[in-house]
Amino acid sequence: MIKTTLAAIVMTASGFAWAQSEAPVDAEPTEIVDDSLTDIALDIVEDEPFFNDTVSDPISVVCPFKADIGYSPGEVTCAFIEVPENREDPNSRTIRLLFAKIHAQTSLEDYEAEDGEDLQYKDDPVAYLTGGPGVSIQSYVQRFLDHDLVKERDLYVLQQRGIAESGDFCPFYSAVRRELEVGTTTYESELQFAERLKECFRSASARGVDVTAYNTVENARDVRALRQALGFDAWNVWGISYGSHLGQMLTQVDPEGIKGLVIDAIVPNDLGGLQQIYRHIDRGFGKVFDRCAETNNPHCKGLEERLAAIVEEEPLTLKTNDAEIFPSGEIVVGGEVAGFVAFFLLYEQSQHPAIPAAMDQALEFFEDQDAELMGNIAAMASGGPFGGLSQGMSQAIQCNDGYSSQAAAEAEEDAASFPIYAGRLNTPEGLAAIAQACVDAGLPLKDRADYQLVRTNIPTLIINGDWDPVTPPPLADRIVPGFSNSRYVVVPYAGHGPTRSMSECSGQVLGDFFDDPTQDLSSLDMTCFEEGEEPPEYLTYLTSKAPIRAASLIATDKHQALILPGGIAGLAALSSLLSLILMPTGFVARRLAGSGAAGLAPGDTVTRSIAFATALLTVGGLGLIGAGATVAADTMPASLAIGVAQPGVFGAWLIVLGGVSGLVLAIRTLMVRLREPMRTGTFVGFLLTGLSSTALVILMSGWDLLPF
């Protein structure tokens, strides 16, 4: 089975599938002598450091993501710099780091100001510090191409060491030794996770990689090296999530190189409180349920109670035929997965309206216990764990910096405080084993002197989304006292990284701040952040298993099962649309010919009206379902997996009415034909319209698409 701890998922964006939790009775977990972070791993290097701090000039290169991102020539450029892998080793090898420059829109030759804009190019750039850790820069470049901040300033994005083209040293991290994916309990899976971690570091070390050099101190020195290579005396710095940790470290490594600092989605430099995952989850769920209490959304009804009940149920063991990815042939999934749908949707406030519907549908999957369908879902969700993140680098950071040790130190208290989740996502014994695996693999904790809460007078904006599920405001509260020249804002209803997602607001606030970081920050206009987002208006969905069922059929090469339902739906749409076109056209033609209704068999006028109503209801219903799919896709494309948003519900009701009308139409058409003459074309058209609309409703019933 695919299994990781939620701590690993949150910090590394790993795959998912949670298992039964209890450790074996005879387990011998790694002992933690003391709850303090420092005492979990003792092999801290205490030698006097040697700073081999050279850097090459930038080496121009075609951006490796050029074919995947639509940008014009000159809008984005890329280059490498070469730096020592370990600056504390005089004999260290050098490594290459990729970086991208998003050129300010006002600096481009084809720039044309929009009405009312008064913009000008500003030569003090911004360095963006990426998150993860372990995420490549492609997604950031793509997202920031249209960010308001790059209208006037260049934005540099450094791909951190150990990521993708910057030297990914375990590119097949999750693909190798798939026999380490057979754990049936959380504890067993954590032990397997520890073995995979050691395998990565053993292999990398054997190839000459200094895995101890992948830490936030060296990352900060890399940012300083990039600044120096580009020839800037100082620049503006902006970091989100792990980038906020890196930004805090940079204030210690390169304080003179920072004009102004913006950090968002705060990871404290000492990591305190960060790994209390259950606490963060409970806080996030509380936000969702509180908002539910303020709305009449039908998906909210009983949601909290259903989640609590399903978490108490035993996990399900699901079968899978993909022995290459799942050597055991099984996937173990617990009901808490349904709840963590909400956890991950909380990241982006644009997705918040879909949370209750997504939770409702996920809970229904577990409540129905459709093992075959759920097995297909789990396989599709977990069957591609081989890209998107440089996990070797991510795990090295977590070992060297102390993320893993902190998780072990906080696990027991976290579980005791929130027993409903205890053992579902991690175990204290398993997290301790992972922390010990770091030491065993030669990645002891870095000197903790570097990982203390920062004290600085560098001008700083500290921003956090109030609905941030993984780095919530209590973490930001811890660091604020150390920033003596700062402004702190919690953004109402915002998720993870509002400076990234609220582009217009961020462009104004960050732009004004970077114009003069020495200004009185209390007078800086941050109204848009202080007002935040609007409370989410939860969407009503026509929830259905149909999208997942169809996707699972495609994934298992059973496409032929979709031919009949696709044909029925297509026939209903086509016949109804033709009826809507041909009946008014025929009526107009007869009026122009002066015949009116003459020549029509008795009853045809009434039958024709029923046919028109049937076609109108069916086409209108399909159109509203299409509109609902558009709303769902705009809110979150993945939410189409649970169905379509309103007005799709109304559309489904129209189709049901159209099916009833179609049945009446078919019966009346046959009765009229038996009683009176009727043109053959008219007879076939009426009968086809009625039967196909009725068949569409029967099809929707079989595919869980009815609105009741």
Side-chain angles (χ1 to χ4, degrees), residues 160-482:
Q160 296 161 14
R161 54 176 51 212
I163 300 176
E165 296 83 10
S166 293
D168 187 346
F169 52 82
C170 289
F172 302 103
Y173 186 95
S174 295
V176 299
R177 297 193 63 188
R178 294 298 297 176
E179 70 274 12
L180 293 177
E181 297 291 349
V182 297
T184 57
T185 69
T186 301
Y187 179 71
E188 287 178 359
S189 298
E190 287 169 320
L191 294 182
Q192 292 168 359
F193 184 87
E195 287 301 312
R196 186 182 298 284
L197 178 149
K198 288 192 287 187
E199 169 68 18
C200 163
F201 296 146
R202 181 205 61 75
S203 174
S205 297
R207 289 179 278 111
V209 177
D210 185 349
V211 292
T212 67
Y214 293 80
N215 57 73
T216 302
V217 175
E218 286 292 353
N219 275 344
R221 293 168 180 165
D222 291 341
V223 176
R224 180 182 62 187
L226 177 60
R227 176 183 64 78
Q228 293 169 338
L230 294 170
F232 297 115
D233 293 329
W235 56 4
N236 305 296
V237 177
W238 174 27
I240 297 175
S241 196
Y242 171 73
S244 76
H245 182 194
L246 181 53
Q248 292 165 75
M249 191 66 73
L250 193 64
T251 67
Q252 312 304 297
V253 170
D254 191 28
E256 67 280 0
I258 304 173
K259 284 185 58 186
L261 174 67
V262 176
I263 48 178
D264 182 0
I266 304 303
V267 174
N269 196 54
D270 70 348
L271 308 180
L274 176 69
Q275 301 288 29
Q276 294 181 13
I277 303 300
Y278 297 148
R279 182 177 300 278
H280 303 337
I281 289 170
D282 192 72
R283 184 183 187 277
F285 285 170
K287 296 291 182 183
V288 173
F289 297 142
D290 287 348
R291 180 58 183 159
C292 268
E294 299 170 353
T295 71
N296 293 318
N297 187 274
H299 300 296
C300 286
K301 186 177 181 180
L303 204 58
E304 186 172 3
E305 294 75 18
R306 290 169 64 199
L307 176 62
I310 208 70
V311 168
E312 296 294 331
E313 296 292 327
E314 289 296 313
L316 300 177
T317 300
L318 310 174
K319 300 295 183 180
T320 175
N321 295 323
D322 195 338
E324 181 180 9
I325 295 178
F326 305 103
S328 68
E330 294 181 343
I331 308 171
V332 181
V333 182
E336 66 276 5
V337 173
F340 299 117
V341 168
F343 182 82
F344 290 110
L345 295 187
L346 283 167
Y347 269 74
E348 295 279 351
Q349 58 264 19
S350 62
Q351 300 175 353
H352 292 178
I355 290 176
M359 288 184 69
D360 181 15
Q361 184 68 352
L363 285 166
E364 186 175 326
F365 277 122
F366 282 91
E367 291 163 347
D368 292 349
Q369 296 198 357
D370 186 335
E372 181 180 359
L373 185 58
M374 288 181 61
N376 289 335
I377 295 172
M380 288 187 293
S382 307
F386 313 127
L389 182 83
S390 293
Q391 292 198 52
M393 175 272 193
S394 181
Q395 296 305 323
I397 293 280
Q398 294 189 56
C399 285
N400 287 319
D401 278 12
Y403 288 79
S404 298
S405 298
Q406 188 73 22
E410 296 182 340
E412 192 168 337
E413 178 187 349
D414 197 29
S417 299
F418 301 94
I420 187 174
Y421 310 122
R424 285 295 194 177
L425 307 176
N426 58 52
T427 67
E429 299 87 357
L431 292 179
I434 293 171
Q436 186 61 45
C438 294
V439 179
D440 295 345
L443 284 78
L445 283 172
K446 294 290 291 181
D447 188 340
R448 305 321 295 166
D450 293 323
Y451 292 85
Q452 302 302 310
L453 291 177
V454 167
R455 295 191 176 278
T456 180
N457 64 355
I458 292 174
T460 304
L461 300 184
I462 302 171
I463 298 170
N464 223 103
D466 189 39
W467 280 41
D468 187 334
V470 65
T471 54
L475 299 180
D477 295 339
R478 297 186 70 252
I479 77 164
V480 170

Side-chain angles (χ1 to χ4, degrees), residues 640-706:
L640 287 170
I642 65 170
V644 298
Q646 199 68 284
V649 179
F650 294 146
W653 277 111
L654 290 184
I655 290 176
V656 170
L657 293 176
V660 174
S661 178
L663 182 60
V664 172
L665 173 64
I667 294 172
R668 181 176 179 85
T669 299
L670 291 172
M671 291 176 62
V672 170
R673 179 62 181 265
L674 290 173
R675 187 179 69 242
E676 304 286 349
M678 181 182 291
R679 292 188 181 94
T680 300
T682 303
F683 172 74
V684 172
F686 287 175
L687 199 60
L688 186 61
T689 299
L691 292 178
S692 63
S693 294
T694 302
L696 180 61
V697 175
I698 296 172
L699 173 69
M700 289 173 61
S701 175
W703 278 75
D704 184 37
L705 284 166
L706 293 180

Side-chain angles (χ1 to χ4, degrees), residues 600-646:
L600 294 180
D604 271 6
T605 301
V606 174
T607 307
R608 189 178 299 274
S609 299
I610 297 173
F612 185 79
T614 300
L616 183 62
L617 288 168
T618 301
V619 170
L622 290 171
L624 289 175
I625 286 178
T630 301
V631 172
D634 289 344
T635 302
M636 182 184 64
S639 74
L640 287 170
I642 65 170
V644 298
Q646 199 68 284

